[in-house]
Amino acid sequence: KKGIKKIIYFSTIHVYGEALLGDVLETTLPFPRHSYGITSRLAEDIVLQNNMKEMVSVVLRLSNVVGAPISYENKCWHLIANDLCRQVMETKTLKVNSNPNIERDFISLKSLLKVCLKLVEIEITDNKIWGNIFNISSGDSISLKNLKNLIAKQSRYLFNGFNPEIKFLSHNNSKTIKKYIINSNKAKKFGLLKNETLSSDIDELLLKCNK
Protein backbone atom coordinates (compact mmCIF):
# COMPACT_ATOMS: atom_id res chain seq x y z
CA LYS A 1 0.00 0.00 0.00
CA LYS A 2 2.94 2.33 0.65
CA GLY A 3 4.61 1.50 -2.65
CA ILE A 4 7.54 -0.34 -1.09
CA LYS A 5 9.60 -2.04 -3.81
CA LYS A 6 12.25 -3.92 -1.80
CA ILE A 7 12.36 -5.81 1.49
CA ILE A 8 15.74 -6.59 3.06
CA TYR A 9 15.20 -8.99 5.95
CA PHE A 10 17.90 -9.34 8.62
CA SER A 11 17.83 -12.94 9.72
CA THR A 12 20.50 -14.72 11.76
CA ILE A 13 22.95 -17.60 11.56
CA HIS A 14 21.06 -18.99 14.57
CA VAL A 15 18.53 -20.43 12.12
CA TYR A 16 21.15 -23.15 11.49
CA GLY A 17 21.09 -24.15 15.15
CA GLU A 18 22.47 -27.66 15.55
CA ALA A 19 23.63 -27.55 11.92
CA LEU A 20 26.40 -25.05 12.83
CA LEU A 21 29.20 -27.48 12.09
CA GLY A 22 31.88 -27.53 9.41
CA ASP A 23 31.28 -25.46 6.27
CA VAL A 24 27.86 -23.81 6.69
CA LEU A 25 26.28 -22.79 3.37
CA GLU A 26 22.91 -21.26 2.55
CA THR A 27 21.90 -24.76 1.40
CA THR A 28 22.73 -26.25 4.82
CA LEU A 29 19.49 -27.57 6.35
CA PRO A 30 18.48 -25.24 9.22
CA PHE A 31 17.87 -26.83 12.61
CA PRO A 32 17.03 -23.99 15.06
CA ARG A 33 16.56 -25.06 18.67
CA HIS A 34 15.43 -21.90 20.46
CA SER A 35 12.73 -19.29 19.90
CA TYR A 36 15.00 -16.64 18.35
CA GLY A 37 16.23 -19.00 15.64
CA ILE A 38 12.82 -20.60 15.09
CA THR A 39 10.93 -17.31 14.67
CA SER A 40 13.66 -15.92 12.40
CA ARG A 41 13.42 -19.02 10.22
CA LEU A 42 9.62 -18.69 9.97
CA ALA A 43 9.96 -15.00 9.08
CA GLU A 44 12.35 -15.90 6.25
CA ASP A 45 9.64 -18.01 4.61
CA ILE A 46 7.04 -15.29 5.00
CA VAL A 47 9.35 -12.69 3.45
CA LEU A 48 10.45 -14.90 0.53
CA GLN A 49 6.99 -16.21 -0.34
CA ASN A 50 6.00 -12.61 -1.06
CA ASN A 51 8.85 -12.05 -3.50
CA MET A 52 7.04 -10.78 -6.61
CA LYS A 53 7.67 -8.54 -9.59
CA GLU A 54 6.05 -5.60 -7.84
CA MET A 55 7.85 -6.06 -4.51
CA VAL A 56 11.05 -8.09 -4.22
CA SER A 57 12.76 -9.44 -1.11
CA VAL A 58 16.06 -10.86 0.08
CA VAL A 59 17.13 -12.59 3.29
CA LEU A 60 20.48 -11.84 4.94
CA ARG A 61 21.60 -14.37 7.54
CA LEU A 62 23.90 -12.32 9.75
CA SER A 63 26.75 -13.54 11.90
CA ASN A 64 27.83 -11.48 14.95
CA VAL A 65 27.87 -7.86 13.76
CA VAL A 66 30.40 -5.59 15.48
CA GLY A 67 29.86 -1.85 15.36
CA ALA A 68 29.12 1.21 17.47
CA PRO A 69 25.47 2.19 18.08
CA ILE A 70 24.27 5.68 17.19
CA SER A 71 24.09 6.52 20.89
CA TYR A 72 25.49 5.07 24.12
CA GLU A 73 21.89 4.87 25.33
CA ASN A 74 21.04 2.24 22.69
CA LYS A 75 20.40 -1.04 24.50
CA CYS A 76 22.91 -3.22 22.68
CA TRP A 77 25.63 -3.59 25.30
CA HIS A 78 24.84 -7.25 26.02
CA LEU A 79 26.47 -8.22 22.69
CA ILE A 80 29.88 -9.73 23.40
CA ALA A 81 32.13 -7.24 21.57
CA ASN A 82 30.05 -4.28 22.81
CA ASP A 83 30.10 -5.59 26.38
CA LEU A 84 33.88 -6.07 26.37
CA CYS A 85 34.45 -2.51 25.09
CA ARG A 86 32.09 -1.15 27.75
CA GLN A 87 34.00 -3.11 30.42
CA VAL A 88 37.30 -1.58 29.31
CA MET A 89 35.99 1.95 29.75
CA GLU A 90 34.02 1.36 32.95
CA THR A 91 36.17 -1.15 34.88
CA LYS A 92 39.56 -1.21 33.05
CA THR A 93 39.22 -4.99 32.77
CA LEU A 94 38.09 -7.54 30.19
CA LYS A 95 36.14 -10.35 31.84
CA VAL A 96 34.15 -13.19 30.30
CA ASN A 97 32.68 -16.15 32.12
CA SER A 98 33.00 -18.43 29.10
CA ASN A 99 35.50 -20.81 27.61
CA PRO A 100 38.13 -18.50 25.97
CA ASN A 101 38.56 -21.04 23.17
CA ILE A 102 34.96 -20.72 21.97
CA GLU A 103 34.97 -19.39 18.41
CA ARG A 104 32.51 -17.02 16.76
CA ASP A 105 32.24 -15.38 13.37
CA PHE A 106 32.35 -11.59 13.73
CA ILE A 107 31.61 -9.22 10.86
CA SER A 108 32.13 -5.48 10.66
CA LEU A 109 29.05 -3.26 10.73
CA LYS A 110 30.64 -1.36 7.85
CA SER A 111 30.52 -4.52 5.74
CA LEU A 112 26.81 -4.95 6.45
CA LEU A 113 26.05 -1.32 5.65
CA LYS A 114 27.83 -1.62 2.30
CA VAL A 115 25.76 -4.72 1.51
CA CYS A 116 22.59 -2.73 2.22
CA LEU A 117 23.70 0.18 0.04
CA LYS A 118 24.36 -2.19 -2.85
CA LEU A 119 20.94 -3.81 -2.43
CA VAL A 120 19.30 -0.39 -2.54
CA GLU A 121 20.97 0.23 -5.91
CA ILE A 122 20.30 -3.19 -7.51
CA GLU A 123 17.39 -3.32 -9.96
CA ILE A 124 14.32 -5.30 -8.86
CA THR A 125 14.61 -7.35 -12.07
CA ASP A 126 17.89 -8.95 -10.89
CA ASN A 127 16.78 -12.52 -10.17
CA LYS A 128 20.26 -13.54 -8.99
CA ILE A 129 19.76 -11.39 -5.89
CA TRP A 130 16.08 -11.01 -5.14
CA GLY A 131 14.20 -13.98 -3.75
CA ASN A 132 17.46 -15.43 -2.39
CA ILE A 133 19.19 -16.06 0.95
CA PHE A 134 22.75 -14.87 1.64
CA ASN A 135 25.07 -15.57 4.55
CA ILE A 136 26.67 -12.29 5.63
CA SER A 137 29.78 -13.20 7.60
CA SER A 138 33.53 -12.81 7.70
CA GLY A 139 33.94 -16.48 6.79
CA ASP A 140 36.63 -16.78 9.46
CA SER A 141 35.84 -17.52 13.10
CA ILE A 142 38.02 -16.19 15.93
CA SER A 143 38.17 -17.24 19.58
CA LEU A 144 36.88 -15.10 22.45
CA LYS A 145 40.49 -14.97 23.64
CA ASN A 146 41.62 -13.41 20.35
CA LEU A 147 38.67 -11.00 20.38
CA LYS A 148 39.72 -9.85 23.85
CA ASN A 149 43.31 -9.45 22.70
CA LEU A 150 42.17 -7.32 19.75
CA ILE A 151 40.12 -5.05 22.02
CA ALA A 152 43.05 -4.74 24.45
CA LYS A 153 45.39 -3.89 21.56
CA GLN A 154 43.05 -1.19 20.21
CA SER A 155 42.64 0.20 23.74
CA ARG A 156 46.39 0.63 24.05
CA TYR A 157 46.50 2.29 20.63
CA LEU A 158 43.64 4.73 21.33
CA PHE A 159 44.41 5.66 24.92
CA ASN A 160 48.18 6.15 25.01
CA GLY A 161 49.35 2.80 26.27
CA PHE A 162 46.36 2.12 28.55
CA ASN A 163 46.54 -1.62 29.25
CA PRO A 164 43.29 -3.28 30.42
CA GLU A 165 43.52 -6.35 32.63
CA ILE A 166 42.32 -9.54 30.91
CA LYS A 167 40.46 -12.11 33.05
CA PHE A 168 38.96 -15.44 32.07
CA LEU A 169 36.51 -16.45 34.78
CA SER A 170 35.44 -19.80 33.34
CA HIS A 171 37.09 -22.99 34.59
CA ASN A 172 36.14 -24.68 31.33
CA ASN A 173 39.12 -24.15 29.05
CA SER A 174 38.59 -27.25 26.96
CA LYS A 175 39.92 -26.94 23.43
CA THR A 176 37.32 -29.45 22.20
CA ILE A 177 35.08 -26.85 20.59
CA LYS A 178 32.54 -27.35 17.82
CA LYS A 179 34.17 -25.85 14.72
CA TYR A 180 32.26 -24.16 11.93
CA ILE A 181 32.77 -21.61 9.17
CA ILE A 182 29.85 -19.45 8.02
CA ASN A 183 30.47 -19.54 4.29
CA SER A 184 29.73 -16.17 2.63
CA ASN A 185 31.11 -17.01 -0.83
CA LYS A 186 27.67 -16.65 -2.42
CA ALA A 187 27.39 -13.00 -1.33
CA LYS A 188 30.95 -12.35 -2.52
CA LYS A 189 30.30 -14.05 -5.87
CA PHE A 190 27.49 -11.59 -6.64
CA GLY A 191 29.51 -8.60 -5.47
CA LEU A 192 27.48 -7.92 -2.34
CA LEU A 193 30.15 -8.46 0.27
CA LYS A 194 33.71 -7.30 0.74
CA ASN A 195 34.95 -7.81 4.27
CA GLU A 196 36.22 -4.95 6.40
CA THR A 197 38.56 -5.49 9.35
CA LEU A 198 37.07 -5.26 12.83
CA SER A 199 39.68 -2.82 14.12
CA SER A 200 37.94 0.43 13.13
CA ASP A 201 34.59 -0.80 14.49
CA ILE A 202 36.26 -1.77 17.79
CA ASP A 203 37.81 1.71 17.91
CA GLU A 204 34.41 3.35 17.44
CA LEU A 205 32.88 1.15 20.14
CA LEU A 206 35.62 2.08 22.62
CA LEU A 207 35.29 5.78 21.82
CA LYS A 208 31.50 5.58 22.18
CA CYS A 209 31.97 4.10 25.68
CA ASN A 210 34.54 6.72 26.66
CA LYS A 211 31.94 9.21 27.85
Side-chain angles (χ1 to χ4, degrees):
K1 290 180 181 179
K2 295 294 184 180
I4 299 299
K5 298 297 183 183
K6 300 175 181 177
I7 297 177
I8 303 169
Y9 178 62
F10 289 170
S11 186
T12 170
I13 59 168
H14 291 291
V15 301
Y16 295 113
E18 292 298 306
L20 278 174
L21 185 64
D23 195 25
V24 181
L25 303 162
E26 290 85 353
T27 53
T28 299
L29 185 65
F31 193 11
R33 297 299 296 270
H34 53 70
S35 57
Y36 178 56
I38 292 169
T39 53
S40 295
R41 179 68 189 88
L42 290 170
E44 289 182 357
D45 287 343
I46 293 170
V47 167
L48 291 178
Q49 76 178 4
N50 288 289
N51 182 67
M52 302 172 289
K53 291 181 179 179
E54 300 83 16
M55 182 177 67
V56 294
S57 56
V58 66
V59 168
L60 306 181
R61 289 177 176 166
L62 308 181
S63 66
N64 301 277
V65 181
V66 176
I70 293 174
S71 166
Y72 184 84
E73 283 66 39
N74 286 91
K75 296 179 180 180
C76 61
W77 299 104
H78 62 287
L79 302 172
I80 182 65
N82 299 36
D83 179 54
L84 291 173
C85 291
R86 180 189 56 79
Q87 284 186 45
V88 169
M89 293 295 96
E90 292 184 359
T91 68
K92 297 181 173 57
T93 60
L94 284 161
K95 297 186 292 185
V96 166
N97 190 21
S98 297
N99 185 337
N101 298 309
I102 289 175
E103 295 191 358
R104 295 285 183 268
D105 184 295
F106 294 95
I107 187 168
S108 164
L109 178 61
K110 291 182 176 65
S111 292
L112 175 58
L113 293 175
K114 288 181 179 180
V115 171
C116 293
L117 287 172
K118 288 180 180 179
L119 288 170
V120 168
E121 296 169 353
I122 291 173
E123 297 293 333
I124 63 173
T125 55
D126 191 336
N127 294 327
K128 299 190 301 293
I129 302 297
W130 304 110
N132 283 300
I133 296 171
F134 294 94
N135 288 338
I136 303 299
S137 65
S138 71
D140 184 24
S141 298
I142 65 171
S143 67
L144 294 184
K145 180 178 180 179
N146 287 338
L147 177 64
K148 281 187 173 186
N149 290 338
L150 173 61
I151 292 172
K153 175 184 175 183
Q154 296 309 116
S155 299
R156 291 191 291 270
Y157 170 74
L158 285 175
F159 305 114
N160 298 319
F162 167 70
N163 196 20
E165 183 181 3
I166 299 177
K167 294 182 179 180
F168 295 101
L169 305 181
S170 174
H171 297 294
N172 177 15
N173 295 325
S174 169
K175 293 187 177 181
T176 306
I177 302 294
K178 187 168 75 168
K179 300 283 187 177
Y180 61 85
I181 295 294
I182 306 299
N183 190 311
S184 56
N185 288 343
K186 182 179 175 183
K188 293 172 183 175
K189 175 183 176 182
F190 292 115
L192 290 179
L193 182 63
K194 290 184 179 178
N195 289 330
E196 307 282 335
T197 64
L198 293 179
S199 298
S200 63
D201 290 281
I202 294 294
D203 289 353
E204 290 175 12
L205 272 168
L206 288 166
L207 292 169
K208 185 71 71 172
C209 297
N210 187 30
K211 300 190 302 178

